[in-house]
Amino acid sequence: DELFAGVASRDDLLARLDAEFDREVLDEAKARVQLRVDPKTWEAFRLTAEDDLPAAAAGARLGMSVAAVFKAKSRVLKALNDEVRRLDGPAPED
């Protein structure tokens, strides 16, 4: 039982460390991307992706069309994906 508890505890710790690393990488990617995109583009992303505001409401708040909001969100998501890949480094070879 003690051996199993030790393994389970270690696995839980590793999972939490991995999740924290992923969160830190995403936070760093967000900071970098936010510096590179137009503030209105970032705000359209933030309102729709993080605050779950409908695109129409975000567009009304920002003076953007719904299509422009979706385009801004898509642009930021792609940039975030690219930045996370860059920060994570090359995939290890098996």
Side-chain angles (χ1 to χ4, degrees):
D1 283 343
E2 287 180 34
L3 179 61
F4 179 74
V7 170
S9 178
R10 184 198 67 200
D11 288 348
D12 181 56
L13 175 61
L14 290 175
R16 286 187 287 148
L17 287 172
D18 196 37
E20 179 64 20
F21 175 78
D22 290 346
R23 189 189 62 73
E24 288 183 18
V25 167
L26 181 58
D27 288 347
E28 180 63 23
K30 283 180 178 180
R32 291 179 182 200
V33 169
Q34 186 176 6
L35 292 174
R36 292 196 313 253
V37 300
D38 180 78
K40 201 175 203 181
T41 297
W42 181 261
E43 190 63 7
F45 161 75
R46 191 190 66 73
L47 289 171
T48 56
E50 294 180 348
D51 291 353
D52 293 323
L53 200 65
R61 186 179 293 183
L62 298 170
M64 298 170 71
S65 69
V66 171
V69 170
F70 280 119
K71 187 174 180 179
K73 181 180 178 180
S74 176
R75 188 177 311 127
V76 171
L77 285 172
K78 181 185 181 324
L80 283 172
N81 193 28
D82 292 346
E83 192 63 37
V84 165
R85 258 193 248 116
R86 238 187 319 278
L87 289 168
D88 258 347
E93 295 182 24
D94 290 331

